[in-house]
Amino acid sequence: MNVSSVKSKIEVDDVSFRYPATEGAGKSQLEHLSFDVREGEFVSLIGGSGCGKSTTLSLLAGLNRADQGQVRIDGLETHAPGKNRGVVFQHYALFPWMRVRKNVEFGIRQVSEANKKDIREKAERYLKLVGLEGSENLYPYQLSGGMQQRVSIARLLSMETEILLMDEPFGAIDAKNRVVLQDLLLALLERSAKRRTVVFVTHDIDEAILLSDRILFMKDARIAETLEVPFEHPRNREEIVTSRQYQEFRRRLFNLFYDFEGEESEIAKGIEYII
Amino acid sequence: MRRALNILYKLLPHALFLALMGMMGVILQRGDRDWAALRPMLALAVLMEAIVLLRAKRWETAGIFSILFGVLILWQAYASFMNTSVSFLFPPPDKVVAVLVKDIRLILHSILASFWLLLLGFALAVVLGVALALLCGYNRRLQNLVVPIADVFSAIPALVYAPYAVAVFPSFWLAALFVIASGLFWPILINTIQSINSIDRTLLDSARALDLNRRDMILRILLPYCTPGLFNTFTMQISSAFMLLIGAELMGMTSGVGWYVKYNSDFSNYTKVIAGFIVIGVLVSLVNAGLDLLKRRLLMWTNMEGRA
Ligand SMILES: Nc1ncnc2c1ncn2[C@@H]1O[C@H](COP(=O)(O)OP(=O)(O)O)[C@@H](O)[C@H]1O
Ligand SMILES: [Mg+2]
C-alpha cells in the first residue's frame, strides 16, 4: 500500500501519562508511547492486564490528558471527548435510569439531528442486530452483564462515529454471542460506506487476528511489538481459521503474549514456595 | 377449634357494627340527637361496614375494623352514657364526625394551606440544595468551603430559627416557609454533594465520552443519579418537616390544620379540636402515600426489591 495515500487518523506521539492518584509510586502508566492508526484501519491492542491498554484508550477518548506528548486526531491535537469518537467500556456503562431503548437513543441523539422517529427506528434496528429484540423496554438492572454489554455495543455502533474505541467489548459475553458479535462487527465495518477507524482492546488472540489489520502488543507501559495481520478483506472466519498462515501467525502472537520462559519460571517458583 | 376461632374473628367486625348501630338507635330513641345530627356518624359506620365486606379476603381487615368499631363504641358509650362533670372535654364521636362534615370546606381549605406550605418549603429546599450541590460538584474549592458550613448548620434544629424568623420576615407565613425550607435545605445539600462525589467512575466516563453539553450532563445524568439519595433524605426528613409545619401553624399562622386545632382550642371547642387531630393524621398519611407513589414512579429503574 502506498503509505502517503492513506492519511493518519490517530497519532499518538511520545505520550506519557500518570494517574494523579499514583503520584510518586513506581512507573507511569504510559511511557513514551507512540503509534499511528490510519484512516479505516482496525488496530488491536493486546497485552497482559495492567499494561495500560484501557489507559491508552481513555486518552484517545479524551477522558484523560497526556502529561507529555500529543494525541492527534485528523492532525489536530485533542484532549477532550468529541462527537467523532464512540467508546465501549470494559465495564459496561449504561445509564441505569434509562430503559434499554433510551440508552441507545441517547447516544444517537448526541451525534445526529434526526427526528425522534428515525432515532427510535435506528435504535431498534441496532438492538435487533445485537440480538436484544424484545428487551427494549427493560431497565439495565433487569439484564445480565453480557446483555448490558451488548446494549452498549449497540449504542456505539448506532452512533456511526468515524472512530470506534472498544475496550474488551466482548469480554463479558458468552461464547456463542461473542462469535455472533465478532462476525457482526466485521461485516458492519467491511460493508460500511464510511471508512471507520477502530482501536480495539482485547486479550483474545483469535479475536485480534480475525478482526484487526494490525496488532500492537503492549508491555510495561509501551508498545513492545507491532504485527501486520496477513489476511485480506472481506474476511471469512472459516477460511482464516483453517489456513496454515493462521496457525503460524497465531503461534507468534501466542509466544509474545504468554512469554513462556518468564511465565514458567514464575509458576515454578510459586509452586516451590507452596510445597 | 382453630376454624371456630377463625370464623369468630371474621364475624367480629359485623357484630361490632351491629352493636354500634344499636347504640345509635338508643341515642335516637332517647331523643339526645335528632336524625339529621346523627346522619354523618351513621354514614361513617355504614361506609366502614362496606369496606369490611369489600375487603373480606384480606386477613387484617377484620382485625383493623374490629378495633375501629370497638374504639367508637367505647368512646360513644363513655361520652353519651356516663354523666361526667368534664363531658365538654370528651365529646362523643358522632359529634366529631358531624363537625368534620359541617366544617368540611374550612377543613379542606386548611389541608390545602398546610400542604401548599409544605410543598413550597420542600420545593425551595430541593431547588436551592440541589443547585448548590451541583455547583459544588463542578467546583472543588466551593465545595471545600460549603461542606464545613453545611455540617454546622445542619446540626442546628431549624425550630430554633423560628422566633428570629418571625421577627425578621414581614409575614408569619414567610417565616414559617423559611423555617421549613431551611430544615430541609442542609440535609439535602449535604446528601446531594455526597451523591455527586461518589458517582460511579465508569458512569461518569461514559457520559463524558458522549460529549454531552452542560445542560444534558446536569439534567440527564447528574440529577437522575441523585434522585434515590434525594428520596432517602425526604423519607428521613419528612417527620421533622411535619413538626416544623404544625409547630409554625400552632404558633401564629392564620390557616392550616395546625391553626384549625389551635383556633378551636382557644374557644374550648374540643369537638373541633379532636376533629383537627383526625385531619392532621389524614394529611400526614396522604403526604406519605403521595411521596411513596412518587418514589415508585421515579425510581422504577432502581432494583428496589434488591436494595430493600
Ligand atoms: N483510575 C486509576 N487511578 C490510578 N491508577 C489506575 C487507574 N486506572 C488504572 N490504573 C493503573 O494503571 C495501570 C494500567 O491500567 P489499565 O490501563 O486499566 O490496564 P489494562 O487495561 O491494560 O489492564 C494499572 O497498573 C492500573 O492499576
Ligand atoms: Mg483494561
Side-chain angles (χ1 to χ4, degrees):
Chain A
M1 198 184 295
N2 183 352
V3 177
S4 63
S5 74
V6 180
K7 55 180 177 172
S8 285
K9 188 75 182 170
I10 303 171
E11 294 160 274
V12 176
D13 187 0
D14 194 35
V15 163
S16 298
F17 173 78
R18 176 194 280 282
Y19 287 102
T22 68
E23 207 59 67
K27 282 175 54 176
S28 297
Q29 277 74 42
L30 297 177
E31 294 196 331
H32 302 289
L33 189 74
S34 287
F35 65 91
D36 276 20
V37 182
R38 293 187 294 269
E39 183 167 35
E41 194 180 23
F42 192 121
V43 165
S44 285
L45 291 175
I46 68 171
S49 69
C51 71
K53 304 181 297 291
S54 297
T55 307
T56 305
L57 222 57
S58 78
L59 269 99
L60 299 184
L63 296 172
N64 284 312
R65 216 176 151 151
D67 299 328
Q68 187 203 312
Q70 284 191 341
V71 173
R72 288 189 293 272
I73 289 178
D74 291 324
L76 295 174
E77 185 178 3
T78 181
H79 27 64
K83 310 245 185 252
N84 56 352
R85 280 156 285 164
V87 189
V88 167
F89 293 87
Q90 184 170 4
H91 304 288
Y92 30 91
L94 301 176
F95 302 115
W97 48 87
M98 297 180 195
R99 294 174 196 274
V100 164
R101 183 208 319 276
K102 193 71 197 297
N103 259 288
V104 179
E105 286 176 359
F106 191 65
I108 303 173
R109 242 191 46 189
Q110 300 310 317
V111 293
S112 140
E113 301 287 310
N115 65 33
K116 260 201 163 114
K117 188 166 147 279
D118 290 349
I119 289 181
R120 190 186 169 101
E121 268 168 16
K122 189 182 245 184
E124 276 168 6
R125 197 162 66 237
Y126 277 96
L127 280 168
K128 191 174 169 188
L129 274 180
V130 300
L132 283 176
E133 207 178 6
S135 302
E136 293 91 345
N137 286 322
L138 297 179
Y139 282 107
Y141 84 89
Q142 295 167 307
L143 305 181
S144 71
M147 288 164 88
Q148 293 189 41
Q149 185 65 316
R150 278 191 272 157
V151 178
S152 45
I153 290 167
R155 181 167 68 192
L156 171 77
L157 296 178
S158 67
M159 288 167 70
E160 297 173 351
T161 47
E162 296 165 20
I163 298 175
L164 287 79
L165 306 170
M166 307 177 83
D167 195 350
E168 305 194 20
F170 307 142
I173 292 170
D174 60 286
K176 178 171 160 277
N177 275 305
R178 191 182 310 156
V179 169
V180 172
L181 288 170
Q182 288 165 351
D183 288 344
L184 170 71
L185 181 62
L186 194 59
L188 276 177
L189 292 172
E190 281 171 350
R191 285 177 212 166
S192 159
K194 263 194 283 176
R195 288 162 68 81
R196 311 240 229 132
T197 311
V198 186
V199 180
F200 189 94
V201 173
T202 179
H203 54 244
D204 180 338
I205 291 177
D206 299 292
E207 181 173 88
I209 301 174
L210 177 73
L211 298 173
S212 333
D213 302 312
R214 203 148 46 101
I215 297 174
L216 307 181
F217 179 72
M218 273 188 88
K219 193 176 173 185
D220 297 336
R222 28 168 111 232
I223 309 281
E225 197 99 23
T226 303
L227 299 103
E228 296 281 341
V229 179
F231 298 106
E232 289 301 312
H233 288 284
R235 289 180 182 171
N236 174 292
R237 177 191 294 274
E238 206 38 48
E239 274 172 27
I240 289 180
V241 173
T242 51
S243 71
R244 256 196 58 193
Q245 214 175 4
Y246 178 80
Q247 296 305 328
E248 280 166 17
F249 189 75
R250 190 178 191 284
R251 184 163 311 123
R252 248 178 88 196
L253 206 52
F254 197 82
N255 288 339
L256 265 182
F257 202 74
Y258 291 100
D259 190 14
F260 265 121
E261 286 163 58
E263 197 84 352
E264 260 180 349
S265 63
E266 282 301 312
I267 292 174
K269 259 191 270 167
I271 290 174
E272 231 166 71
Y273 176 77
I274 294 166
I275 295 169
Chain B
M1 182 64 191
R2 235 191 122 85
R3 271 197 58 166
L5 273 178
N6 217 350
I7 290 171
L8 266 181
Y9 171 79
K10 290 274 185 193
L11 285 177
L12 190 58
H14 303 293
L16 290 171
F17 167 68
L18 291 177
L20 185 61
M21 293 308 261
M23 211 167 193
M24 294 297 136
V26 174
I27 290 171
L28 267 178
Q29 203 88 78
R30 291 202 325 190
D32 292 354
R33 313 258 197 292
D34 61 12
W35 170 247
L38 219 49
R39 213 159 43 191
M41 181 66 179
L42 290 172
L44 177 71
V46 170
L47 183 73
M48 284 165 64
E49 173 67 8
I51 295 175
V52 176
L53 288 172
L54 281 175
R55 303 185 38 160
K57 280 229 177 68
R58 313 250 320 228
W59 184 85
E60 64 274 16
T61 305
I64 290 171
F65 281 86
S66 297
I67 292 169
L68 286 177
F69 279 129
V71 167
L72 283 177
I73 288 170
L74 290 179
W75 180 8
Q76 188 81 54
Y78 179 80
S80 298
F81 301 111
M82 309 278 173
N83 284 315
T84 58
S85 56
V86 288
S87 62
F88 74 101
L89 279 177
F90 300 101
D94 68 290
K95 285 196 168 167
V96 172
V97 176
V99 154
L100 279 173
V101 172
K102 197 178 119 236
D103 260 8
I104 191 71
R105 290 182 71 98
L106 182 60
I107 285 170
L108 284 180
H109 186 268
S110 302
I111 286 181
L112 277 182
S114 295
F115 183 69
W116 176 235
L117 184 59
L118 190 69
L119 193 70
L120 225 55
F122 255 86
L124 216 60
V126 169
V127 170
L128 294 179
V130 172
L132 186 55
L134 283 170
L135 281 179
C136 289
Y138 277 103
N139 187 335
R140 269 284 141 181
R141 281 190 168 164
L142 182 65
Q143 179 171 144
N144 293 338
L145 187 77
V146 166
V147 168
I149 297 174
D151 279 339
V152 172
F153 273 88
S154 69
I156 304 174
L159 202 58
V160 305
Y161 306 137
Y164 184 60
V166 170
V168 168
F169 284 92
S171 77
F172 203 93
W173 188 86
L174 271 178
L177 183 66
F178 170 80
V179 170
I180 292 169
S182 60
L184 286 161
F185 172 79
W186 299 106
I188 287 176
L189 176 65
I190 290 178
N191 193 292
T192 310
I193 288 179
Q194 277 169 358
S195 276
I196 293 175
N197 281 347
S198 68
I199 190 167
D200 182 50
R201 183 86 225 159
T202 327
L203 202 65
L204 192 64
D205 276 350
S206 182
R208 286 178 58 212
L210 287 175
D211 196 23
L212 303 182
N213 56 31
R214 185 61 60 96
R215 188 172 160 270
D216 276 352
M217 191 68 181
I218 289 173
L219 293 182
R220 304 295 182 128
I221 307 296
L222 294 177
L223 272 187
Y225 182 83
C226 292
T227 26
L230 218 47
F231 270 98
N232 272 343
T233 315
F234 288 173
T235 321
M236 280 191 295
Q237 299 298 327
I238 186 80
S239 46
S240 77
F242 272 118
M243 299 268 225
L244 292 175
L245 172 74
I246 306 289
E249 288 177 348
L250 284 175
M251 278 191 293
M253 299 274 296
T254 48
S255 62
V257 289
W259 163 80
Y260 183 84
V261 169
K262 172 77 169 76
Y263 180 81
N264 288 304
S265 307
D266 290 346
F267 290 99
S268 302
N269 188 339
Y270 295 111
T271 312
K272 291 195 175 185
V273 169
I274 290 175
F277 297 165
I278 295 169
V279 170
I280 290 177
V282 169
L283 174 67
V284 174
S285 316
L286 278 180
V287 168
N288 280 333
L291 201 60
D292 219 51
L293 202 74
L294 202 65
K295 185 169 163 176
R296 245 171 251 264
R297 290 267 319 142
L298 288 179
L299 297 186
M300 245 192 312
W301 53 274
T302 61
N303 187 356
M304 282 197 235
E305 300 90 76
R307 286 188 191 177

